[in-house]
Amino acid sequence: MIHENVEKIRVAKGITKTHIANKLNMSLQGYRHITSGEVRLDVERLKVIAGVLGVSPAIFFDNKLTESVIKDIEKTA
């Protein structure tokens, strides 16, 4: 669920996987393992991703909050 919500917000904001991978100091392939759910997303990485996306890390734990953020992004786009 968390990695899926990260991806939904990332796509809505138009931020590339490469950009986030670079901010995490990891390869694109490594980041893809996280987004696919093959590798767990640890708290420190989640904080970095939240910072890049401009949201609170807590957003990713709640599908309704994630959808609310996406609606707000769509309104301003």
Side-chain angles (χ1 to χ4, degrees), residues 12-44:
K13 289 203 168 213
I15 296 173
T16 66
K17 289 180 182 181
T18 302
H19 180 72
I20 293 180
N22 289 337
K23 294 292 184 181
L24 292 169
N25 294 318
M26 64 187 327
S27 68
L28 178 57
Q29 183 177 359
Y31 181 71
R32 284 185 179 150
H33 288 297
I34 290 172
T35 62
S36 69
E38 294 174 41
V39 174
R40 280 196 175 178
L41 184 56
D42 64 45
V43 173
E44 293 305 314

Side-chain angles (χ1 to χ4, degrees), residues 6 9-10 13 15 19-21 23-24 31 41-60:
V6 167
I9 293 174
R10 182 193 64 76
K13 289 203 168 213
I15 296 173
H19 180 72
I20 293 180
K23 294 292 184 181
L24 292 169
Y31 181 71
L41 184 56
D42 64 45
V43 173
E44 293 305 314
R45 287 181 177 160
L46 189 61
K47 286 180 185 177
V48 171
I49 293 169
V52 172
L53 297 177
V55 298
S56 166
I59 298 293
F60 304 125

Side-chain angles (χ1 to χ4, degrees), residues 1-11 34-37 41 60 63 66-67 70:
M1 174 180 74
I2 295 168
H3 64 279
E4 292 166 348
N5 289 341
V6 167
E7 279 302 286
K8 287 177 186 177
I9 293 174
R10 182 193 64 76
V11 169
I34 290 172
T35 62
S36 69
L41 184 56
F60 304 125
N63 290 336
T66 296
E67 294 303 320
I70 292 170

